[in-house]
Amino acid sequence: MTMKPSNNIWIRRQQCACGDWKCYVKFEGDDQTSVSSQLIKNETASTSSSSEAVFMPYVGQIFKSDDDAFEYYSNFARKNGFSIRKARSTESQNLGVYRRDFVCYRSGFNQPRKKANVEHPRDRKSVRCGCDAKLYLTKEIVDGVTQWYVSQFSNVHNHELLEDDQVRLLPAYRKIQEADQERILLLSKAGFPVNRIVKVLELERGVQPGQLPFIEKDVRNFVRTCKKTVQENDALLTEKRENDTLELLEACKAMAERDANFVYDYTTDENNKVENISWSYADSVRAYTVFGDAVTFDTTYRSITYGLLLGVWFGIDNHGKPIFLGCVLLQDESSNSFAWALQTFLRFMRGRCPQTILTDIDSCLRDAIARELPNTKHVICSWHVLSKLSSWFSLPLGPQYEEFKAQFDMLFHLEGIEEFEHQWNILVARFGLASDKHIALLFSFRTSWPLSYIRGCFLARSMTAEFSQSLDAFLKRILSGQTCLQLFFEQVGVAADLRNQSRERVQYMHIKTCLPIEENARSILTPYAFNALQHEIVLSMQYATTEMANGSYLVRHYKKMDGEYLVIWIPQDEQIHCSCKEFEHSGTLCRHCLRVLIVKNYFEIPEKYVLFRWRLESSLVPGEDQNGQCSSDECAQAFHSLAATLLTESLFSKERFNHVHRELTKLLDQVRDMPVCNEFALNMAANNISES
């Protein structure tokens, strides 16, 4: 047996942040898990449907080969609660093997063995009980064609037949497929004990404990059998790791020679072998100057094949999409390794620290950030917390888990720090979790994940569900279908090249309130940023303001759906601050501040509150011709004006309305039959409108 390269060298990290290797994390909503579960369901359905088509064998039934007959009888046996084995075969000099006997797995009796010369020999109870169920085959040649027919058949058993959930555990049906064999060998080589290997496979395939097509004993026997093979492949695997890592380093050197702005760095171990390696591109460094305020450091994936942890830095651009900033491969997950990764990244980005860095829960990474980025706020992405709740608490809490989850979500969204800590103590006491290691872990990270602690931290909308999904899709795109580090490096290079980014199509952004402040925002913000601000503008109309003696304002919803918010207005510097801290959090003015600006008769948003990172002009990827935006706006405004006038005139009488409706219907049909105009024609149309 030789070890083949894995179809994909990257897998999700299964190590829990609590540090206990017996603890595993299953991510809720993980697409890969869902796909695996569906594949298993499909395989089960396929097996079930094929077995349903198997009827009871009968004497005289003909098969093309004895293997076909064995498979047929085996499917019949599985469906009926037993398994079979091959018994004797008879052969002659002319025909070769001309008879095959297949019997129930409990057929016959075990012959007494000679006892081994040991003090306490094992006395295993035999499963054989003399069952007479059998199928005998005989070979014949008809018109020169060899075939096998059933010469004897009996389906009479002298033992109890098994149910579906029991029959699958019979040795005949417990098979480890090739893909699982490869995975088991890799995990075993990485030092995973057998019980942990089984748990990892269950998590990866998305099945309940004990629902794999094999049991822990089978894995243990397989590992023992393959131990010699693993040892023989150890040198080959080590050589592959060293060679592939060296090829990656050479690829970085070659890239640096072609592109002077490409940056990379690496470390070596005591044997002068490549240990850690990191790199970034000119486009990424340029993007960081605009979008480096809030950075996500993703460490979701690692490679068992190479024993490396993958870390990827991302920013969020002005269209709300992930933008690649850098990449690192680390030999271990220690605080020193993370510290080197952070130092290298800052050096690539010319020493400029981000305002905020978002990561997963990791104590070593937290310590490294505190040491290397003392002025950067460390935030744990909410998805990384919420996705672990089921794995951590569903089993110990049982039926109470859903209630716990609802209260945890409420606690997560509290605004006051004191209230959070008070409610946290109540939650822990109510569900008896005072000694739970995961509760202790979450509390130790409390300054990084509850909204009450991070509300004033600038995140640039990088904790939204949409951005998390885009980030996951980006990672899967650069990690899929690779068998070596060289291919991975090339794929990352393609993804980091801004020329390969999809260009944003200029879309007409409809006005909803006709407020001048909304018109002003539409002209300077990207559609993504404008939609976020427009949502706040629309909701601001539902709020009432009460001016305080010091010139500040209390802002509350007209139905009192939420609490009061204090908006501080400083007219001398045109400064405005709200107690909800939405602007400090996302860079978008909140509905409360906007309401005060509208009351103050502001027709434009103060310049300081329209961040450059959200403006159209900050786009690194060239969009469509800006003339297209102008012509699109002019066309839309012209048609809106014409349609409004036409509607007013048509409502004077029913005859007018029917005529307009009839003619417009004809016109619409004619326009749909016309060929689609190009950009030049659109510009010409806009010119004609402006001239008229």
Side-chain angles (χ1 to χ4, degrees):
M1 176 185 287
T2 58
M3 187 174 294
K4 301 186 302 182
S6 176
N7 292 331
N8 197 328
I9 63 176
W10 305 107
I11 63 165
R12 277 192 181 277
R13 294 168 66 193
Q14 300 292 345
Q15 182 68 48
C16 181
C18 70
D20 185 354
W21 65 264
K22 296 179 181 178
C23 185
Y24 306 89
V25 177
K26 180 179 179 181
F27 296 93
E28 294 179 349
D30 189 340
D31 294 338
Q32 189 63 36
T33 300
S34 301
V35 171
S36 299
S37 301
Q38 191 60 44
L39 285 174
I40 292 172
K41 290 177 182 177
N42 291 343
E43 290 173 3
T44 304
S46 174
T47 304
S48 176
S49 62
S50 64
S51 63
E52 286 175 3
V54 179
F55 299 100
M56 182 181 293
Y58 56 91
V59 174
Q61 187 174 4
I62 296 176
F63 297 95
K64 291 182 179 179
S65 69
D66 54 341
D67 289 335
D68 289 348
F70 182 81
E71 182 179 0
Y72 188 94
Y73 191 26
S74 180
N75 289 335
F76 170 79
R78 179 161 189 168
K79 181 183 175 183
N80 287 273
F82 66 102
S83 67
I84 62 171
R85 58 183 172 84
K86 295 178 180 179
R88 66 176 183 174
S89 61
T90 308
E91 61 180 318
S92 69
Q93 190 171 4
N94 296 329
L95 292 176
V97 176
Y98 67 89
R99 176 173 166 171
R100 291 282 192 193
D101 293 353
F102 305 143
V103 297
C104 174
Y105 76 111
R106 302 192 69 175
S107 173
F109 298 94
N110 262 12
Q111 298 298 323
R113 298 180 180 179
K114 292 182 180 180
K115 293 186 178 181
N117 188 21
V118 293
E119 186 176 353
H120 299 290
R122 288 187 297 175
D123 186 15
R124 292 180 178 176
K125 186 177 180 180
S126 173
V127 298
R128 298 191 181 185
C129 61
C131 180
D132 194 42
K134 60 193 174 187
L135 183 146
Y136 293 170
L137 287 176
T138 301
K139 181 168 69 174
E140 64 179 358
I141 300 176
V142 179
D143 297 330
V145 177
T146 300
Q147 61 184 24
W148 295 79
Y149 70 92
V150 179
S151 56
Q152 290 187 53
F153 173 71
S154 172
N155 197 38
V156 178
H157 299 265
N158 65 351
H159 56 88
E160 184 179 355
L161 299 178
L162 304 177
E163 298 295 333
D164 288 344
D165 60 338
Q166 297 173 314
V167 72
R168 69 179 185 83
L169 298 177
L170 292 176
Y173 305 126
R174 299 199 315 257
K175 296 181 179 178
I176 304 178
Q177 300 298 326
E178 185 176 345
D180 291 324
Q181 291 180 9
E182 177 184 340
R183 197 82 181 87
I184 290 169
L185 286 176
L186 286 174
L187 291 167
S188 177
K189 184 63 188 75
F192 284 51
V194 171
N195 60 340
R196 190 181 180 195
I197 292 174
V198 172
K199 186 66 176 177
V200 169
L201 292 174
E202 288 171 347
L203 291 173
E204 289 180 346
R205 300 188 65 171
V207 300
Q208 294 298 317
Q211 293 302 309
L212 289 171
F214 45 84
I215 61 176
E216 185 176 313
K217 176 183 176 182
D218 301 321
V219 177
R220 195 176 307 280
N221 290 338
F222 174 74
V223 170
R224 187 182 297 114
T225 302
C226 296
K227 187 175 182 180
K228 183 179 179 181
T229 304
V230 172
Q231 292 173 344
E232 291 173 352
N233 280 286
D234 185 32
L236 295 175
L237 184 58
T238 301
E239 184 180 0
K240 174 179 172 58
R241 287 176 176 174
E242 293 176 357
N243 291 341
D244 284 9
T245 310
L246 192 58
E247 285 181 4
L248 175 61
L249 178 59
E250 292 300 322
C252 288
K253 292 178 179 178
M255 178 65 74
E257 292 177 359
R258 296 195 302 270
D259 182 0
N261 294 315
F262 173 81
V263 287
Y264 74 99
D265 197 5
Y266 65 99
T267 63
T268 56
D269 58 19
E270 61 276 6
N271 297 319
N272 205 31
K273 305 294 183 183
V274 177
E275 189 176 34
N276 306 313
I277 186 166
S278 181
W279 68 92
S280 186
Y281 301 86
D283 283 344
S284 300
V285 176
R286 182 161 62 95
Y288 186 82
T289 61
V290 182
F291 305 117
D293 40 20
V295 171
T296 299
F297 184 39
D298 190 282
T299 55
T300 305
Y301 291 89
R302 67 171 293 110
S303 169
I304 290 183
T305 307
Y306 293 97
L308 295 171
L309 172 71
L310 171 65
V312 186
W313 284 277
F314 290 100
I316 178 172
D317 69 7
N318 54 343
H319 296 285
K321 293 185 176 181
I323 189 162
F324 179 88
L325 298 177
C327 183
V328 66
L329 295 173
L330 301 173
Q331 283 287 349
D332 58 50
E333 302 171 28
S334 66
S335 180
N336 289 336
S337 293
F338 284 128
W340 178 84
L342 294 169
Q343 293 168 6
T344 306
F345 178 72
L346 289 180
R347 189 164 64 253
F348 290 167
M349 301 303 153
R350 298 164 186 171
R352 178 188 166 194
C353 298
Q355 294 181 40
T356 312
I357 183 168
L358 289 88
T359 73
D360 194 354
I361 302 178
D362 190 298
S363 299
C364 292
L365 181 55
R366 176 184 59 182
D367 295 343
I369 291 173
R371 188 162 73 246
E372 302 300 330
L373 300 172
N375 298 319
T376 296
K377 175 63 180 178
H378 180 204
V379 173
I380 304 299
C381 182
S382 59
W383 182 86
H384 287 299
V385 174
L386 299 177
S387 66
K388 296 177 174 64
L389 293 183
S390 175
S391 176
W392 285 348
F393 302 112
S394 61
L395 188 61
L397 293 179
Q400 291 184 300
Y401 171 68
E402 290 302 325
E403 183 183 357
F404 167 82
K405 187 176 180 182
Q407 294 205 16
F408 188 93
D409 186 67
M410 178 273 296
L411 186 142
F412 177 82
H413 290 91
L414 290 176
E415 295 187 359
I417 293 177
E418 292 183 2
E419 185 181 8
F420 168 82
E421 296 198 353
H422 175 67
Q423 293 296 331
W424 177 268
N425 292 331
I426 293 176
L427 180 77
V428 171
R430 178 173 181 178
F431 293 97
L433 297 172
S435 60
D436 187 273
K437 59 186 176 183
H438 298 119
I439 283 290
L441 178 71
L442 287 173
F443 192 71
S444 70
F445 276 87
R446 67 188 180 281
T447 60
S448 299
W449 61 267
L451 289 183
S452 54
Y453 282 92
I454 66 172
R455 190 61 186 167
C457 307
F458 183 71
L459 299 178
R461 304 183 66 81
S462 55
M463 273 223 308
T464 63
E466 293 79 11
F467 182 72
S468 295
Q469 292 168 1
S470 299
L471 200 66
D472 195 45
F474 190 103
L475 282 168
K476 288 180 178 178
R477 191 166 62 249
I478 66 174
L479 298 178
S480 60
Q482 298 156 8
T483 56
C484 68
L485 294 178
Q486 178 75 22
L487 290 176
F488 168 68
F489 177 76
E490 294 173 0
Q491 204 152 321
V492 170
V494 172
D497 192 339
L498 291 178
R499 292 172 297 181
N500 297 323
Q501 305 297 316
S502 59
R503 298 187 177 188
E504 288 294 316
R505 290 186 60 82
V506 176
Q507 53 180 307
Y508 181 73
M509 297 178 286
H510 295 280
I511 295 297
K512 294 182 179 179
T513 66
C514 295
L515 291 171
I517 213 167
E518 186 183 8
E519 291 273 6
N520 168 244
R522 183 178 69 165
S523 65
I524 56 180
L525 295 175
T526 62
Y528 174 80
F530 174 71
N531 285 335
L533 183 65
Q534 186 184 52
H535 178 69
E536 297 296 317
I537 292 174
V538 171
L539 291 178
S540 72
M541 309 305 293
Q542 301 178 6
Y543 285 77
T545 60
T546 303
E547 188 170 5
M548 309 289 286
N550 59 0
S552 301
Y553 288 83
L554 279 180
V555 182
R556 65 167 65 90
H557 193 271
Y558 82 103
K559 287 186 177 180
K560 298 183 180 180
M561 295 176 64
D562 51 10
E564 294 179 335
Y565 292 90
L566 178 64
V567 176
I568 300 174
W569 167 249
I570 306 175
Q572 295 83 359
D573 301 327
E574 287 190 322
Q575 289 188 43
I576 192 164
H577 305 279
C578 181
S579 58
C580 79
K581 298 183 179 180
E582 177 61 33
F583 181 76
E584 291 84 351
H585 190 67
S586 67
T588 301
L589 275 180
C590 65
R591 61 201 69 171
H592 318 112
C593 288
L594 289 167
R595 185 59 184 160
V596 171
L597 290 177
I598 292 169
V599 168
K600 290 292 183 182
N601 296 322
Y602 264 75
F603 298 146
E604 293 184 356
I605 299 174
E607 189 77 10
K608 68 178 71 174
Y609 295 110
V610 185
L611 299 184
F612 178 72
R613 71 154 4 268
W614 295 129
R615 295 175 180 243
L616 280 165
E617 60 195 276
S618 67
S619 297
L620 299 176
V621 181
E624 294 182 351
D625 189 355
Q626 293 301 316
N627 291 333
Q629 171 72 37
C630 297
S631 61
S632 176
D633 289 352
E634 292 170 0
C635 286
Q637 292 171 7
F639 278 118
H640 285 172
S641 176
L642 183 61
T645 304
L646 193 59
L647 176 63
T648 302
E649 293 293 334
S650 66
L651 292 178
F652 280 107
S653 69
K654 185 176 181 180
E655 183 181 0
R656 280 191 177 190
F657 178 81
N658 290 338
H659 175 72
V660 170
H661 185 271
R662 182 170 57 253
E663 294 302 318
L664 282 179
T665 302
K666 292 180 182 178
L667 180 61
L668 183 59
D669 291 338
Q670 293 173 4
V671 171
R672 284 173 173 166
D673 291 337
M674 295 173 65
V676 179
C677 64
N678 55 26
E679 186 178 348
F680 174 76
L682 182 61
N683 292 335
M684 290 298 293
N687 293 334
N688 292 336
I689 291 171
S690 59
E691 290 174 2
S692 61

